[in-house]
PDB file of all heavy atoms in Angstrom:
ATOM      1  N   PRO T  11     243.951  93.214 248.167  1.00  0.00           N
ATOM      2  CA  PRO T  11     242.868  93.943 248.831  1.00  0.00           C
ATOM      3  C   PRO T  11     243.234  94.508 250.196  1.00  0.00           C
ATOM      4  O   PRO T  11     242.550  95.405 250.692  1.00  0.00           O
ATOM      5  CB  PRO T  11     241.749  92.899 248.942  1.00  0.00           C
ATOM      6  CG  PRO T  11     242.407  91.579 248.777  1.00  0.00           C
ATOM      7  CD  PRO T  11     243.581  91.810 247.889  1.00  0.00           C
ATOM      8  N   HIS T  21     256.033  95.168 239.127  1.00  0.00           N
ATOM      9  CA  HIS T  21     256.876  94.459 240.096  1.00  0.00           C
ATOM     10  C   HIS T  21     257.381  93.173 239.470  1.00  0.00           C
ATOM     11  O   HIS T  21     256.905  92.739 238.409  1.00  0.00           O
ATOM     12  CB  HIS T  21     256.076  94.108 241.363  1.00  0.00           C
ATOM     13  CG  HIS T  21     255.642  95.283 242.176  1.00  0.00           C
ATOM     14  ND1 HIS T  21     254.622  96.123 241.792  1.00  0.00           N
ATOM     15  CD2 HIS T  21     256.087  95.745 243.390  1.00  0.00           C
ATOM     16  CE1 HIS T  21     254.447  97.057 242.713  1.00  0.00           C
ATOM     17  NE2 HIS T  21     255.325  96.856 243.688  1.00  0.00           N
ATOM     18  N   ASP T 249     243.093  72.767 246.513  1.00  0.00           N
ATOM     19  CA  ASP T 249     242.876  72.287 247.876  1.00  0.00           C
ATOM     20  C   ASP T 249     241.394  71.982 248.060  1.00  0.00           C
ATOM     21  O   ASP T 249     240.529  72.719 247.577  1.00  0.00           O
ATOM     22  CB  ASP T 249     243.280  73.359 248.897  1.00  0.00           C
ATOM     23  CG  ASP T 249     244.770  73.628 248.908  1.00  0.00           C
ATOM     24  OD1 ASP T 249     245.530  72.763 248.463  1.00  0.00           O
ATOM     25  OD2 ASP T 249     245.172  74.718 249.359  1.00  0.00           O
ATOM     26  N   GLU T 270     239.171  58.617 262.723  1.00  0.00           N
ATOM     27  CA  GLU T 270     240.084  59.283 263.653  1.00  0.00           C
ATOM     28  C   GLU T 270     240.393  60.709 263.209  1.00  0.00           C
ATOM     29  O   GLU T 270     240.823  61.531 264.020  1.00  0.00           O
ATOM     30  CB  GLU T 270     241.387  58.481 263.766  1.00  0.00           C
ATOM     31  CG  GLU T 270     241.198  57.098 264.406  1.00  0.00           C
ATOM     32  CD  GLU T 270     242.518  56.362 264.562  1.00  0.00           C
ATOM     33  OE1 GLU T 270     243.564  56.933 264.148  1.00  0.00           O
ATOM     34  OE2 GLU T 270     242.511  55.236 265.087  1.00  0.00           O
ATOM     35  N   SER T 277     245.336  64.632 253.648  1.00  0.00           N
ATOM     36  CA  SER T 277     246.536  64.662 252.833  1.00  0.00           C
ATOM     37  C   SER T 277     246.917  66.113 252.552  1.00  0.00           C
ATOM     38  O   SER T 277     246.298  67.044 253.064  1.00  0.00           O
ATOM     39  CB  SER T 277     246.300  63.899 251.523  1.00  0.00           C
ATOM     40  OG  SER T 277     245.229  64.497 250.795  1.00  0.00           O
ATOM     41  N   LYS T 281     241.416  67.440 252.712  1.00  0.00           N
ATOM     42  CA  LYS T 281     241.313  67.432 254.167  1.00  0.00           C
ATOM     43  C   LYS T 281     239.856  67.382 254.620  1.00  0.00           C
ATOM     44  O   LYS T 281     238.927  67.677 253.858  1.00  0.00           O
ATOM     45  CB  LYS T 281     241.989  68.683 254.749  1.00  0.00           C
ATOM     46  CG  LYS T 281     243.501  68.723 254.543  1.00  0.00           C
ATOM     47  CD  LYS T 281     244.107  69.985 255.106  1.00  0.00           C
ATOM     48  CE  LYS T 281     245.626  69.931 255.114  1.00  0.00           C
ATOM     49  NZ  LYS T 281     246.209  69.781 253.766  1.00  0.00           N
ATOM     50  N   THR T 292     214.346  76.928 252.559  1.00  0.00           N
ATOM     51  CA  THR T 292     214.566  78.079 251.696  1.00  0.00           C
ATOM     52  C   THR T 292     213.331  78.967 251.665  1.00  0.00           C
ATOM     53  O   THR T 292     212.198  78.482 251.819  1.00  0.00           O
ATOM     54  CB  THR T 292     214.926  77.625 250.267  1.00  0.00           C
ATOM     55  OG1 THR T 292     215.107  78.755 249.425  1.00  0.00           O
ATOM     56  CG2 THR T 292     213.832  76.749 249.673  1.00  0.00           C
ATOM     57  N   LEU T 295     210.403  78.273 249.039  1.00  0.00           N
ATOM     58  CA  LEU T 295     209.399  77.259 249.381  1.00  0.00           C
ATOM     59  C   LEU T 295     208.709  77.547 250.711  1.00  0.00           C
ATOM     60  O   LEU T 295     207.913  76.741 251.174  1.00  0.00           O
ATOM     61  CB  LEU T 295     210.068  75.882 249.451  1.00  0.00           C
ATOM     62  CG  LEU T 295     210.667  75.354 248.146  1.00  0.00           C
ATOM     63  CD1 LEU T 295     211.426  74.060 248.404  1.00  0.00           C
ATOM     64  CD2 LEU T 295     209.578  75.132 247.112  1.00  0.00           C
ATOM     65  N   SER T 317     215.019  70.628 267.415  1.00  0.00           N
ATOM     66  CA  SER T 317     214.736  71.421 268.609  1.00  0.00           C
ATOM     67  C   SER T 317     216.032  72.092 269.041  1.00  0.00           C
ATOM     68  O   SER T 317     217.133  71.691 268.624  1.00  0.00           O
ATOM     69  CB  SER T 317     214.212  70.534 269.736  1.00  0.00           C
ATOM     70  OG  SER T 317     215.255  69.693 270.231  1.00  0.00           O
ATOM     71  N   ILE T 387     230.312  83.843 258.866  1.00  0.00           N
ATOM     72  CA  ILE T 387     229.085  83.827 258.077  1.00  0.00           C
ATOM     73  C   ILE T 387     229.456  83.648 256.607  1.00  0.00           C
ATOM     74  O   ILE T 387     230.270  84.411 256.064  1.00  0.00           O
ATOM     75  CB  ILE T 387     228.281  85.136 258.254  1.00  0.00           C
ATOM     76  CG1 ILE T 387     228.141  85.484 259.746  1.00  0.00           C
ATOM     77  CG2 ILE T 387     226.915  85.004 257.585  1.00  0.00           C
ATOM     78  CD1 ILE T 387     227.460  84.427 260.587  1.00  0.00           C
ATOM     79  N   GLU T 400     212.279  89.667 245.072  1.00  0.00           N
ATOM     80  CA  GLU T 400     211.368  88.735 245.736  1.00  0.00           C
ATOM     81  C   GLU T 400     211.391  88.909 247.258  1.00  0.00           C
ATOM     82  O   GLU T 400     210.485  88.445 247.948  1.00  0.00           O
ATOM     83  CB  GLU T 400     211.745  87.282 245.410  1.00  0.00           C
ATOM     84  CG  GLU T 400     211.723  86.922 243.936  1.00  0.00           C
ATOM     85  CD  GLU T 400     210.320  86.715 243.418  1.00  0.00           C
ATOM     86  OE1 GLU T 400     209.386  86.546 244.237  1.00  0.00           O
ATOM     87  OE2 GLU T 400     210.148  86.707 242.186  1.00  0.00           O
ATOM     88  N   GLU T 408     209.313  95.744 255.945  1.00  0.00           N
ATOM     89  CA  GLU T 408     210.009  96.129 257.164  1.00  0.00           C
ATOM     90  C   GLU T 408     211.265  95.307 257.401  1.00  0.00           C
ATOM     91  O   GLU T 408     212.298  95.831 257.855  1.00  0.00           O
ATOM     92  CB  GLU T 408     209.060  95.974 258.364  1.00  0.00           C
ATOM     93  CG  GLU T 408     209.650  96.481 259.678  1.00  0.00           C
ATOM     94  CD  GLU T 408     208.653  96.401 260.818  1.00  0.00           C
ATOM     95  OE1 GLU T 408     207.435  96.335 260.553  1.00  0.00           O
ATOM     96  OE2 GLU T 408     209.100  96.426 261.981  1.00  0.00           O
TER      97      GLU T 408
END
Side-chain angles (χ1 to χ4, degrees):
H21 293 74
D249 293 338
E270 294 183 359
S277 60
K281 294 179 170 61
T292 179
L295 296 174
S317 70
I387 312 301
E400 301 283 344
E408 186 176 339

